[in-house]
Amino acid sequence: MQSTNFTDYKSPEQIAEATRQAVRETADGADAYTAGVAHAAGPSRRGARQVMDDLRARGREWREQGGHYVSDRPVRSMVMAAAGGAAVTTLMLAALRGSRR
């Protein structure tokens, strides 16, 4: 069992900033990915390019909304992030256990 080290305590503001930074990095990665997909589609695929542009715009909007949510509710955001991480870990462990059989 891991002990709690109270010297590593982070304030809600520090937690909120770290979460905002993670959201920004994730959104930047998504922007780069969609730009690459749109570029690979080429000029003959205008429909695909429009879809990628729409997705990129929606991603920017979600990033902004997420930043506001984290600023307004830093503790709740961290709890939700921890719960999401636990859920993903549980799913990954279940998948690994299933593949061993």
Side-chain angles (χ1 to χ4, degrees):
M1 180 176 215
Q2 184 179 7
S3 66
T4 303
N5 185 353
F6 291 104
T7 59
D8 293 341
Y9 173 77
K10 291 186 179 185
S11 69
E13 292 80 19
Q14 290 171 315
I15 293 169
E17 181 55 36
T19 306
R20 275 193 297 274
Q21 181 63 31
V23 168
R24 278 192 297 268
E25 289 172 2
T26 302
D28 290 345
D31 283 348
Y33 176 77
T34 56
V37 170
H39 178 72
S44 64
R45 307 233 177 182
R46 293 196 188 279
R49 186 174 299 242
Q50 181 62 39
V51 169
M52 290 297 119
D53 289 342
D54 291 345
L55 288 173
R56 192 176 303 126
R58 187 177 300 164
R60 280 190 223 108
E61 181 181 318
W62 287 348
R63 178 183 354 171
E64 184 177 316
Q65 289 174 350
H68 290 299
Y69 184 87
V70 169
S71 295
D72 295 341
R73 300 170 189 91
V75 175
R76 180 184 255 180
S77 299
M78 286 304 297
V79 170
M80 289 173 56
V88 169
T89 301
T90 302
L91 291 172
M92 290 175 64
L93 289 174
L96 286 173
R97 227 179 286 135
S99 66
R100 290 185 199 156
R101 292 180 183 176

